[in-house]
Amino acid sequence: MTENPFFRPSTLAYELPPFAEIRPEHYLPAFERGMAEQLAEIAAITADPQPPTVENTLLALERSGRLLHRVKVVFENHSAADTTPEVDRIDAGISPRLAAHRDAIHLDAALFARIEELHAGRAEADLDPQTLRLLERRHTAFVRAGARLGAEQQARLRAINTELAAASSEFRQNVSADSQARALVLDSAEQLAGLSADEVAAAAENGRALGHPGKYVLSLKNFSNQTELASLTDRSVRERLLAASLDRAVDTNGPLAIRMAALRAERARLLGHDTHAAYVVADETAGTVEAVDALLARLVPPAVANARREAEELAKVAAADGVDEIAAHDWAYYSEQVRQTSYRVDAGALRPYFELERVLRDGVFFAANLAYGVTFTERPDLVGYHPDTRVFEVFDADGSALGLFLGDFHARASKRGGAWMDELVSQSGLLGQRPVVYNNLNIAKPAPGEPVLLSWDEVRTLFHEFGHALHGLFSDVRHPYVAGTAVPRDFVEFPSQVNEMWMVWPEVLANYARHHETGEPLPAGLVERMAAAESFGQGFRTVEYLAAALLDWAWHTLPEGQEIADAREFEAAALAGAGLAVAAIPPRYRTTYFGHIFAGGYSAGYYAYIWSEVLDADTVEWFKGDGRSVRESGEVFRRELLARGDSRDALDSFRAVVGRDPETGPLLARRGLV
Ligand SMILES: [Zn+2]
């Protein structure tokens, strides 16, 4: 039998994991050996008779757990991007054990004593800025994980963390199973009227693949409002599709969400905070619950007013169809009608100009070259984690090799919804590692031989996720703990949102948006009309987003011990209380399928998208101004911000670029909220 491929560092270029050799049966032994190895490394640190030093404690900790890290990053991606029942079982089993492992390190009294001693002596130690920052971040992490609590409290903390980890895994699997179970099965093609021929063919193919030959199946995407709602002409089909989406996992995840929120509130109290939200934001750039409350409160009334104005526009068009009241399942459909009639923008007519390969190479890569000078070479000799995964080598402006970018753009039944970026190898001077990062998207695969044509939103997602990828690729720090995207949650969406600006940057747009058959550019005026139509939809988009952010906030500002009887009722009351109960606009995610906050790292953190957008909108204005070339601005943004990771304070990095504190004006203008 060959050796477990996780047991040694990869010998492939950039330490790319040896995907061709990795089998599911390798995971568990690698996790077990990885955890044991790291605990032995920690024991060696604490057994050292020498007093703690940066080298024997801080950097030894930084070097520990390499095997565990190797298996963890590969496994997490496998379970998100190409899962199987076997991988799901491993995930459910290993998640609580990993939580317990993290606690074993953070609650190791001897280890914390050494960190505490280093931290107490930091002022006299003459540390360089990166080392000082690492020490601060590590020390904070120990304290926030409960290192200063007594034994009894720590025991309770461990129990809570283990239960939460298991609950998270269960929540995610419930969403996935119930999303598949509720996929809409339709008997005839007539019911799909309004969809393109390609979409109808894809639904038929989906029917075959999912065991409904001869029928048409619309699979559910992550968020509440399904994309097909914009074009399905049969109102009853729209209603069924949205209802299926909104009811996902209501029976299983309702009680689970209540339990998780209660556990988080209890944990926050143990750790000295009033609520889970207070605990979370204490370590974010927002700092306090009040700061987040203030931003949300400022945005809600004008956003709702915008949405109501949009609703009036929709009602006019709908009246012609005999629809006297706009329901939630009508909103996207009549928005699309308004876009076509008032703005002369037809979403379907744009697709032929957005062919994936062209958008990727002549848009996303082209923009990165324009701003940062980097170039990309596909490496078909390197094997990705799925046959659809493509591997690109990234080179700096001077030709030196920078890292690898993996792109996995297509949807499949085994992939969770949404789009995301993560790192397989984090950049680190200390460990001599260069970054290997990936993007996962969920673009429907067309019939064989057909081009992959993207929607406007999918183009935006491609640029967005690549912004995260650049954040990982440009990382230039010493310590892996603070590398790349390891910045505060309410800061991490900022670089990715900034990267969206290239989508409509005239030089970039002209380069990629060409008809896939004729090569012709977008018809004149279309982009301007599209921009106008976008601002028309801002009311809906902002309300949909804020409703989800408020839901997250409501669950996580609950004090300890508050009993919640029913998740649906809690949800309705929270939205009404925040002034966000707009009947025809459901939250972007409802509680029971809100994976970001119950199965991911965004609990009390969904506000981060709009919080980051303040920085984003401000930075876009900076990029456009001041007579710098795009390349010059790109260099500053890269050097002062993207390269820094969390090796210095995030807002200090922002100030180093823009030269002042962030201002909200550009965001309010962009969202039509002034
Ligand atoms: Zn993002």
Side-chain angles (χ1 to χ4, degrees):
M1 193 179 139
T2 54
E3 195 190 36
N4 190 312
F6 290 112
F7 286 176
R8 283 168 212 287
S10 165
T11 54
L12 298 175
Y14 300 89
E15 299 188 32
L16 178 72
F19 291 111
E21 296 167 36
I22 294 170
R23 307 272 170 271
E25 60 266 28
H26 294 133
Y27 288 128
L28 208 48
F31 272 122
E32 282 173 345
R33 188 187 283 199
M35 288 191 280
E37 244 183 53
Q38 190 172 26
L39 292 181
E41 288 160 340
I42 302 293
I45 296 173
T46 56
D48 191 334
Q50 297 299 315
T53 63
V54 165
E55 181 58 38
N56 75 17
T57 300
L58 195 61
L59 296 185
L61 185 57
E62 203 63 7
R63 289 189 183 97
S64 75
R66 299 327 298 165
L67 165 53
L68 181 58
H69 185 77
R70 285 198 295 274
V71 60
K72 195 168 153 295
V73 290
V74 171
F75 180 77
E76 281 174 354
N77 181 51
H78 193 158
S79 95
D82 191 23
T83 198
T84 63
E86 184 182 9
V87 168
D88 278 350
R89 268 194 304 279
I90 299 171
D91 180 64
I94 204 69
S95 294
R97 293 177 66 190
L98 289 172
H101 176 74
R102 284 191 294 274
D103 281 340
I105 295 171
H106 281 131
L107 305 181
D108 181 320
L111 180 61
F112 181 59
R114 294 178 75 91
I115 299 277
E116 187 89 302
E117 193 178 329
L118 281 177
H119 188 254
R122 68 193 182 286
E124 295 81 48
D126 193 27
L127 303 173
D128 66 84
Q130 284 204 36
T131 304
L132 178 61
R133 175 76 180 170
L134 177 69
L135 177 56
E136 301 272 15
R137 295 306 297 150
R138 281 284 192 187
H139 182 259
T140 300
F142 275 83
V143 172
R144 287 175 55 78
R148 282 184 174 154
L149 300 184
E152 206 173 301
Q153 290 172 309
Q154 288 193 346
R156 179 60 194 142
L157 197 60
R158 288 176 200 260
I160 291 173
N161 287 339
T162 306
E163 187 179 344
L164 276 173
S168 251
S169 173
E170 191 185 336
F171 188 99
R172 187 172 60 74
Q173 294 185 19
N174 287 342
V175 174
S176 158
D178 208 44
S179 293
Q180 284 178 33
R182 288 181 197 262
L184 189 62
V185 183
L186 297 165
D187 296 325
S188 73
E190 290 79 69
Q191 292 174 292
L192 297 175
L195 299 188
S196 70
D198 287 351
E199 289 170 312
V200 175
E205 176 54 41
N206 209 13
R208 265 189 296 279
L210 296 174
H212 302 282
K215 300 200 176 186
Y216 302 84
V217 176
L218 298 179
S219 288
L220 297 175
K221 298 177 190 74
N222 253 14
F223 30 79
S224 299
N225 269 284
Q226 301 298 306
T227 43
E228 295 87 349
L229 291 171
S231 35
L232 287 165
T233 56
D234 186 330
R235 196 176 186 213
S236 68
V237 174
R238 292 203 301 269
E239 185 170 8
R240 286 170 62 196
L241 180 61
L242 184 62
S245 170
L246 294 178
D247 281 346
R248 272 176 289 167
V250 63
D251 298 325
T252 46
N253 281 349
L256 203 53
I258 291 171
R259 176 71 183 148
M260 291 179 77
L263 287 169
R264 285 168 174 167
E266 183 190 350
R267 182 175 61 186
R269 279 306 304 165
L270 272 175
L271 293 165
H273 296 268
D274 288 342
T275 63
H276 180 66
Y279 166 74
V280 169
V281 296
D283 200 38
E284 301 287 332
T285 70
T288 64
V289 167
E290 291 71 29
V292 177
D293 282 342
L295 181 68
L296 295 179
R298 182 169 179 188
L299 299 177
V300 168
V304 169
N306 276 356
R308 295 209 192 287
R309 270 196 295 278
E310 287 172 14
E312 284 165 22
E313 292 287 307
L314 305 186
K316 283 181 216 156
V317 185
D321 278 3
V323 171
D324 48 10
E325 197 171 345
I326 295 285
H329 50 268
D330 297 322
W331 194 292
Y333 181 75
Y334 288 106
S335 288
E336 189 52 35
Q337 307 286 312
V338 169
R339 264 191 273 277
Q340 292 187 16
T341 52
S342 302
Y343 299 93
R344 290 182 297 125
V345 170
D346 174 359
L350 281 171
R351 281 181 181 267
Y353 296 90
F354 299 145
E355 193 263 316
L356 172 63
E357 197 63 20
R358 189 138 202 173
V359 177
L360 181 68
R361 289 183 184 275
D362 299 341
V364 173
F365 289 173
F366 175 79
N369 180 263
L370 199 67
Y372 310 110
V374 290
T375 56
F376 302 82
T377 304
E378 189 151 13
R379 290 282 304 263
D381 57 310
L382 295 175
V383 178
Y385 52 85
H386 184 275
D388 284 350
T389 313
R390 299 167 62 183
V391 183
F392 297 88
E393 189 168 11
V394 188
F395 296 94
D396 219 332
D398 65 2
S400 58
L402 203 55
L404 293 179
F405 168 70
L406 280 63
D408 181 9
F409 303 113
H410 289 295
R412 50 183 168 263
S414 60
K415 193 192 268 194
R416 74 167 162 84
W420 67 97
M421 167 274 181
D422 216 330
E423 303 179 349
L424 290 165
V425 180
S426 296
Q427 181 274 333
S428 158
L430 180 75
L431 304 177
Q433 289 179 327
R434 290 177 295 183
V436 177
V437 307
Y438 61 88
N439 279 173
N440 261 298
L441 275 73
N442 265 292
I443 297 165
K445 231 182 194 179
E450 294 296 315
V452 186
L453 304 179
L454 309 185
S455 69
W456 180 266
D457 282 342
E458 285 168 339
V459 174
R460 193 205 321 275
T461 303
L462 205 62
F463 277 91
H464 176 97
E465 295 306 329
F466 196 73
H468 288 303
L470 288 176
H471 200 182
L473 286 165
F474 287 154
S475 178
D476 187 13
V477 301
R478 209 177 310 147
H479 310 113
Y481 189 68
V482 294
T485 53
V487 294
R489 182 66 70 194
D490 64 2
F491 191 79
V492 76
E493 294 301 326
F494 158 46
S496 53
Q497 290 175 349
V498 164
N499 206 60
E500 293 175 26
M501 77 178 159
W502 302 116
M503 173 184 178
V504 289
W505 197 270
E507 192 179 349
V508 178
L509 185 72
N511 198 57
Y512 78 85
R514 290 183 170 273
H515 195 282
H516 72 101
E517 280 167 337
T518 65
E520 286 188 33
L522 282 172
L526 187 57
V527 175
E528 289 74 14
R529 296 203 302 276
M530 192 67 204
E534 285 259 292
S535 69
F536 169 75
Q538 285 296 350
F540 175 87
R541 266 193 297 278
T542 309
V543 166
E544 178 197 51
Y545 164 78
L546 287 174
L550 252 308
L551 270 188
D552 169 35
W553 207 237
W555 280 111
H556 295 119
T557 45
L558 283 173
E560 186 189 1
Q562 180 139 338
E563 304 259 330
I564 303 298
D566 179 82
R568 279 287 160 91
E569 283 167 23
F570 174 78
E571 193 177 283
L575 291 173
L580 269 166
V582 182
I585 306 184
R588 187 164 171 81
Y589 301 95
R590 295 189 80 175
T591 299
T592 56
Y593 50 91
F594 205 164
H596 290 75
I597 66 167
F598 290 112
Y602 275 81
S603 64
Y606 201 66
Y607 80 89
Y609 288 91
I610 207 137
W611 189 270
S612 297
E613 200 180 327
V614 172
L615 306 182
D616 154 35
D618 210 2
T619 303
V620 169
E621 293 309 308
W622 171 84
F623 249 98
K624 289 175 183 165
D626 261 10
R628 279 171 268 103
S629 71
V630 165
R631 188 79 172 80
E632 285 163 345
S633 299
E635 278 304 307
V636 174
F637 191 61
R638 173 178 174 177
R639 185 181 65 241
E640 297 294 344
L641 201 135
L642 296 175
R644 303 282 176 148
D646 202 26
S647 71
R648 77 169 166 195
D649 178 77
L651 287 179
D652 283 348
S653 292
F654 174 87
R655 289 183 201 100
V657 172
V658 177
R660 55 166 171 74
D661 284 341
E663 291 170 359
T664 48
L667 168 81
L668 298 177
R670 175 198 285 188
R671 290 251 174 188
L673 300 177
V674 274

